Amino acid sequence: MVSILLEGVTKRFGKVVAVDELTLRVEDGEFMILLGPSGCGKTTTLRLVSGLERVTKGRIYFGDELVDDGRAVFVPPQRRNVSMVFQSYALFPHMNVFDNIAFPAYVRKLPKDEIRKRVHEIAELLRIRDLLDRKPNELSGGQQQRVALARALMIEPDVLLLDEPLANLDAKLRVYMRAELKRLQREFKCTTIYVTHDQVEAMSMADRIAVMNKGRIQQVGTPDELYNKPASLFVAGFIGSPPMNLIDCTLTNSDTLDFGPFKLRLPPELASALQGRQEFIFGVRPQDVKVSRREVQGGIQFRVYVSEPLGDRVVLTLVNGDVMIKALTDPDFKAEMGERVWVSFDFRKVHIFDKRSENVVV
Amino acid sequence: MGGFFKKIAEPSFTVIGYVILFVLLAYVLTPLVWLFVTAFNPRGGPYLEIPREVTLDNFVRVFTGERPRGGTRTAAHPIYMSRWVANSLIVGFATMIITVALSAPAGYALSRLQFRGKDLLMTAILLVGFMPMTSKMLPLYRLARFLGLIDNLLGVALVIASGTIPTQIWIIKGFFDHIPREIEEQAWICGCSYLSTLFRVVLPAAGPGLAVVAFLSFLSGWGNFTVPLILIYSEHLYPISLGLASIFVHNPGEIGLAIDYGTACALSVIYAIPPILVYYVFREHLMKIRLGKMEIR
């Protein structure tokens, strides 16, 4: 078990900067998830930690040990005692499941009896005991995924690296394995870095999430922090489902936001935080949009554009002029298309971003 | 037009179709039938005849060196025939070993490494592979002379391998291309050194491909005629190809020497077996060769 520190790490491939001045600390035993759209550098970061890639600049520490500084020091992947599950699982096609799982132990020349015992234990844990004689091409995607995981856990690694391990599974299995993985990680207590582009996966499993975009870390925090206090427009838009409503607006009369078709008067403590700037982006989650059939004090009139009942709730798409927002309501809120409704916001739960820097203001 | 196609389906046209097929079949199969019938006929002669008895005598004689019944002196002393089979085996296996040993690392490197001029190199290798062996015979002969490899089976294998290696590099590169890089990376992370990854993971995973390359190059050595024709002079060092030619081509005019057709045909059948065998064993893998690319499933 070991903590990991990436310090000002940059990785370039030719002229392409894949990872840009990234600093991140993963605590001992922590489940850290790197979350971001494809091409944001999260897989490259994982490969830098594994030693499959070398840093161009910066340092990586495992505990106190410097493992890569891009120049003189480099500990190759063989000696980092990490395990990795690739998105493709990378099972050895010519070996059966038993040998695949046992491979890291064979390489470490552990005693045969011990290997046998351990493989059976771990196969039992992951419910693949009946498959030990099969070849990888005789397994389903979910079974292959569990074999890859079993192989990764075979040697009790210092660090477990997972690169979109659930991406190739069908939706039902993915939800099931999400819970299994989280339970396993808590059980094994090994430092884990998990890469995904799926925010639901990240929110449900992580101790902390590092949201990445364009090679940089946007925000690091617990799922709650990221959901309730997004630091930037990117994080706000990436986390939460359905995504946060983000609407352009300008500040007029020092306490009123002008959205074009309508205006919104802000409470004084919010308004004072916005002084000195003019253009903002107003963010509010669909969950925090209050919709009412009757006129409410300070409410804004919208028309129902479309209503999508989901059983436990209804997703309403509302329009006012060229402003379109989504709102979540109770399942018994039956709205007709074109119906007039009044919308109000809980100002404790709105987020206002500076349009130029895209950072949060309030 | 429609009428024409209808007519084809009429019985008279079907008969004509069968006649054409039969003629084509006879054209293709006659030499083979002739060969097999004579090989199993202990009294086989230069003409295709229905054997009175079917035995393996001719095959036994290939390996024992016995004279045929009737006692006429024959060309190409049969004592050499078993040697010719052995020589062909030597050349085949030597070609195989040299080709695999050199084309596997080259194919691996070309599959995994990116470097300047790689495409050019690949094209050059392919072009060299397409050159007919005979066109290089003069320099190869002079070179073999200089190196003292005349009348030497290893020399023959080296020259044949120089012709097979380029195409086999392409084939084997195709196989390595289909082994995901991640499998190697996984092995490294599991603690496997770079060299041991090659032997424990990459080569076994490429096993079917290596086997195909091995047997294709074995066949090149086994079946080659031109190279031994130019490099081998002693009769006891002939491979089967050259031996057969010496029976049928070199000697028949010589007075007093009869050709032992039965034994010669038996030898021909032996000569034909490996390709058939190889095709049978590797038919599934061979079907996957497409323009120098192979797939592993």
Coordinates of all heavy atoms in Angstrom, one line a residue, chain A residues 98-135:
Chain A
F98 N -7.0 -20.1 -15.6 CA -6.1 -20.3 -14.4 C -4.7 -19.7 -14.6 O -4.2 -18.9 -13.8 CB -5.9 -21.8 -14.1 CG -5.1 -22.1 -12.9 CD1 -5.7 -22.4 -11.7 CD2 -3.7 -22.1 -13.0 CE1 -5.0 -22.7 -10.6 CE2 -3.0 -22.4 -11.8 CZ -3.6 -22.7 -10.6
D99 N -4.1 -20.0 -15.8 CA -2.7 -19.4 -16.0 C -2.7 -17.9 -16.2 O -1.8 -17.3 -15.8 CB -2.2 -20.1 -17.3 CG -1.8 -21.5 -17.0 OD1 -1.6 -21.9 -15.9 OD2 -1.7 -22.3 -18.0
N100 N -3.8 -17.4 -16.7 CA -3.9 -15.9 -16.9 C -3.9 -15.3 -15.5 O -3.2 -14.3 -15.2 CB -5.2 -15.6 -17.6 CG -5.0 -15.2 -19.0 OD1 -4.4 -14.2 -19.4 ND2 -5.4 -16.1 -19.9
I101 N -4.7 -15.8 -14.6 CA -4.8 -15.3 -13.2 C -3.5 -15.4 -12.5 O -3.0 -14.6 -11.8 CB -6.0 -15.9 -12.4 CG1 -7.3 -15.6 -13.1 CG2 -6.0 -15.4 -11.0 CD1 -8.5 -16.3 -12.5
A102 N -2.9 -16.6 -12.7 CA -1.7 -17.0 -12.0 C -0.4 -16.3 -12.5 O 0.6 -16.3 -11.8 CB -1.5 -18.5 -12.0
F103 N -0.5 -15.7 -13.7 CA 0.7 -15.2 -14.4 C 1.6 -14.3 -13.6 O 2.8 -14.6 -13.5 CB 0.3 -14.5 -15.7 CG 1.4 -14.2 -16.6 CD1 2.1 -15.1 -17.4 CD2 1.9 -12.8 -16.6 CE1 3.1 -14.8 -18.2 CE2 3.0 -12.5 -17.4 CZ 3.6 -13.5 -18.2
P104 N 1.0 -13.3 -12.9 CA 1.9 -12.4 -12.1 C 2.6 -13.2 -11.0 O 3.7 -12.8 -10.6 CB 1.0 -11.3 -11.6 CG -0.4 -11.6 -12.0 CD -0.4 -12.8 -12.9
A105 N 1.9 -14.2 -10.5 CA 2.6 -15.0 -9.4 C 3.6 -15.9 -10.0 O 4.7 -16.1 -9.4 CB 1.5 -15.8 -8.7
Y106 N 3.4 -16.5 -11.1 CA 4.4 -17.3 -11.8 C 5.7 -16.4 -12.0 O 6.8 -16.9 -11.7 CB 3.9 -17.7 -13.2 CG 3.0 -18.9 -13.2 CD1 2.0 -18.9 -14.3 CD2 2.9 -19.9 -12.3 CE1 1.1 -20.0 -14.3 CE2 2.0 -20.9 -12.3 CZ 1.1 -20.9 -13.3 OH 0.2 -22.0 -13.4
V107 N 5.5 -15.2 -12.5 CA 6.6 -14.3 -12.8 C 7.4 -14.0 -11.5 O 8.6 -14.0 -11.6 CB 6.1 -13.0 -13.5 CG1 7.3 -12.0 -13.6 CG2 5.5 -13.3 -14.8
R108 N 6.7 -13.9 -10.4 CA 7.4 -13.6 -9.1 C 7.9 -14.9 -8.5 O 8.4 -14.9 -7.4 CB 6.4 -12.9 -8.2 CG 6.2 -11.4 -8.6 CD 5.0 -10.9 -7.8 NE 4.9 -9.4 -8.1 CZ 4.5 -8.9 -9.2 NH1 4.1 -9.6 -10.2 NH2 4.4 -7.6 -9.3
K109 N 7.7 -16.0 -9.2 CA 8.2 -17.3 -8.7 C 7.7 -17.7 -7.3 O 8.5 -18.1 -6.5 CB 9.8 -17.3 -8.8 CG 10.3 -17.1 -10.2 CD 11.8 -17.6 -10.3 CE 12.2 -17.6 -11.7 NZ 12.3 -16.3 -12.3
L110 N 6.4 -17.5 -7.1 CA 5.9 -17.9 -5.8 C 5.7 -19.4 -5.8 O 5.7 -20.0 -6.9 CB 4.5 -17.3 -5.6 CG 4.4 -15.7 -5.6 CD1 3.0 -15.2 -5.4 CD2 5.4 -15.2 -4.5
P111 N 5.7 -20.0 -4.7 CA 5.5 -21.5 -4.6 C 4.2 -22.0 -5.3 O 3.2 -21.3 -5.1 CB 5.5 -21.8 -3.1 CG 5.9 -20.6 -2.4 CD 5.8 -19.4 -3.3
K112 N 4.3 -23.1 -6.0 CA 3.2 -23.6 -6.8 C 1.9 -23.8 -5.9 O 0.8 -23.4 -6.4 CB 3.6 -25.0 -7.4 CG 4.5 -24.8 -8.6 CD 3.6 -25.0 -9.9 CE 4.3 -24.3 -11.1 NZ 5.7 -24.7 -11.4
D113 N 2.1 -24.4 -4.7 CA 0.9 -24.7 -3.9 C 0.2 -23.4 -3.5 O -1.0 -23.3 -3.6 CB 1.3 -25.3 -2.6 CG 1.9 -26.7 -2.8 OD1 1.8 -27.2 -4.0 OD2 2.6 -27.3 -1.9
E114 N 1.0 -22.4 -3.2 CA 0.4 -21.1 -2.8 C -0.3 -20.5 -3.9 O -1.4 -19.9 -3.8 CB 1.6 -20.2 -2.3 CG 1.2 -19.0 -1.5 CD 2.3 -18.2 -1.1 OE1 3.3 -18.8 -0.5 OE2 2.4 -17.0 -1.4
I115 N 0.3 -20.5 -5.2 CA -0.4 -20.0 -6.3 C -1.7 -20.6 -6.5 O -2.8 -20.0 -6.7 CB 0.5 -20.2 -7.6 CG1 1.8 -19.4 -7.5 CG2 -0.3 -19.8 -8.8 CD1 2.7 -19.5 -8.7
R116 N -1.8 -22.0 -6.5 CA -3.0 -22.7 -6.7 C -4.1 -22.3 -5.7 O -5.2 -22.0 -6.1 CB -2.7 -24.2 -6.5 CG -3.9 -25.2 -6.7 CD -3.4 -26.6 -6.9 NE -2.6 -26.7 -8.1 CZ -3.1 -26.8 -9.3 NH1 -4.4 -26.9 -9.5 NH2 -2.4 -26.9 -10.4
K117 N -3.7 -22.2 -4.4 CA -4.6 -21.8 -3.4 C -5.2 -20.4 -3.6 O -6.4 -20.2 -3.6 CB -3.9 -21.9 -2.0 CG -4.8 -21.8 -0.8 CD -4.0 -22.3 0.4 CE -4.5 -21.5 1.6 NZ -3.7 -20.3 2.0
R118 N -4.2 -19.5 -3.9 CA -4.6 -18.1 -4.1 C -5.5 -17.9 -5.3 O -6.5 -17.2 -5.3 CB -3.3 -17.3 -4.3 CG -3.6 -15.8 -4.5 CD -3.4 -15.0 -3.3 NE -3.7 -13.6 -3.6 CZ -4.7 -13.0 -3.1 NH1 -5.5 -13.5 -2.2 NH2 -5.0 -11.7 -3.4
V119 N -5.2 -18.6 -6.4 CA -6.1 -18.5 -7.6 C -7.5 -19.0 -7.3 O -8.5 -18.3 -7.7 CB -5.5 -19.3 -8.8 CG1 -6.5 -19.4 -10.0 CG2 -4.2 -18.7 -9.3
H120 N -7.6 -20.1 -6.6 CA -8.9 -20.6 -6.3 C -9.7 -19.6 -5.3 O -10.9 -19.4 -5.5 CB -8.8 -22.0 -5.6 CG -8.6 -23.1 -6.7 ND1 -7.4 -23.7 -6.9 CD2 -9.5 -23.5 -7.6 CE1 -7.5 -24.5 -7.9 NE2 -8.8 -24.5 -8.4
E121 N -8.9 -19.1 -4.4 CA -9.6 -18.1 -3.5 C -10.1 -16.9 -4.3 O -11.3 -16.5 -4.1 CB -8.5 -17.5 -2.6 CG -8.4 -18.1 -1.2 CD -7.2 -17.6 -0.4 OE1 -6.9 -16.4 -0.6 OE2 -6.6 -18.4 0.3
I122 N -9.3 -16.4 -5.2 CA -9.7 -15.2 -5.8 C -10.8 -15.5 -6.9 O -11.7 -14.6 -7.1 CB -8.5 -14.5 -6.4 CG1 -8.7 -13.0 -6.5 CG2 -8.1 -15.0 -7.8 CD1 -7.5 -12.2 -6.1
A123 N -10.7 -16.7 -7.5 CA -11.7 -17.1 -8.5 C -13.1 -17.2 -7.8 O -14.1 -16.9 -8.3 CB -11.3 -18.4 -9.2
E124 N -13.0 -17.7 -6.5 CA -14.2 -17.9 -5.7 C -14.8 -16.5 -5.5 O -16.0 -16.3 -5.6 CB -13.8 -18.6 -4.4 CG -14.9 -18.9 -3.5 CD -15.7 -20.1 -4.0 OE1 -15.1 -21.1 -4.5 OE2 -16.9 -20.1 -3.9
L125 N -14.0 -15.6 -5.1 CA -14.4 -14.2 -4.7 C -15.1 -13.6 -5.9 O -16.1 -12.9 -5.8 CB -13.2 -13.4 -4.3 CG -13.4 -12.1 -3.6 CD1 -14.1 -12.3 -2.3 CD2 -12.1 -11.3 -3.5
L126 N -14.6 -13.8 -7.1 CA -15.1 -13.1 -8.3 C -16.1 -14.0 -9.1 O -16.5 -13.7 -10.2 CB -13.9 -12.7 -9.2 CG -13.2 -11.5 -8.7 CD1 -11.8 -11.4 -9.3 CD2 -14.0 -10.2 -8.9
R127 N -16.4 -15.2 -8.5 CA -17.3 -16.1 -9.1 C -17.0 -16.6 -10.5 O -17.8 -16.5 -11.4 CB -18.7 -15.5 -9.1 CG -19.4 -15.6 -7.7 CD -20.5 -14.7 -7.6 NE -20.3 -13.7 -6.5 CZ -21.0 -12.6 -6.3 NH1 -22.0 -12.3 -7.2 NH2 -20.8 -11.8 -5.3
I128 N -15.7 -17.0 -10.7 CA -15.3 -17.5 -12.0 C -14.6 -18.8 -11.8 O -13.8 -19.3 -12.6 CB -14.3 -16.5 -12.7 CG1 -13.3 -16.0 -11.7 CG2 -15.1 -15.4 -13.3 CD1 -12.2 -15.2 -12.4
R129 N -14.9 -19.5 -10.7 CA -14.3 -20.7 -10.3 C -14.5 -21.8 -11.4 O -13.7 -22.7 -11.6 CB -14.7 -21.2 -9.0 CG -13.6 -22.0 -8.3 CD -13.9 -22.3 -6.9 NE -12.8 -23.3 -6.5 CZ -12.6 -23.6 -5.3 NH1 -13.2 -23.0 -4.3 NH2 -11.6 -24.5 -5.0
D130 N -15.7 -21.8 -12.0 CA -16.0 -22.8 -13.0 C -15.3 -22.6 -14.3 O -15.4 -23.4 -15.2 CB -17.5 -22.9 -13.2 CG -18.3 -23.2 -12.0 OD1 -17.7 -23.7 -11.0 OD2 -19.5 -22.8 -11.9
L131 N -14.7 -21.5 -14.5 CA -14.1 -21.1 -15.8 C -12.6 -21.3 -15.9 O -12.1 -21.1 -16.9 CB -14.4 -19.6 -16.1 CG -15.9 -19.1 -15.9 CD1 -15.9 -17.6 -16.1 CD2 -16.8 -19.9 -16.8
L132 N -12.0 -21.9 -14.8 CA -10.6 -21.9 -14.8 C -9.9 -22.6 -16.0 O -8.8 -22.3 -16.3 CB -10.1 -22.5 -13.5 CG -10.3 -21.6 -12.2 CD1 -9.9 -22.2 -11.0 CD2 -9.7 -20.2 -12.4
D133 N -10.6 -23.6 -16.6 CA -10.0 -24.3 -17.7 C -10.2 -23.7 -19.0 O -9.7 -24.2 -20.0 CB -10.5 -25.8 -17.7 CG -10.1 -26.5 -16.4 OD1 -9.0 -26.2 -15.9 OD2 -10.9 -27.4 -15.9
R134 N -11.1 -22.7 -19.1 CA -11.4 -22.1 -20.4 C -10.3 -21.2 -20.9 O -9.6 -20.6 -20.2 CB -12.7 -21.3 -20.3 CG -13.9 -22.2 -19.8 CD -15.0 -22.1 -20.7 NE -16.2 -22.6 -20.1 CZ -17.3 -21.9 -20.0 NH1 -17.4 -20.7 -20.5 NH2 -18.4 -22.4 -19.4
K135 N -10.4 -21.0 -22.2 CA -9.5 -20.0 -22.9 C -10.3 -18.7 -23.0 O -11.5 -18.8 -23.0 CB -9.1 -20.5 -24.3 CG -8.1 -21.6 -24.3 CD -6.7 -21.1 -24.2 CE -5.6 -22.2 -24.2 NZ -5.5 -22.9 -25.5

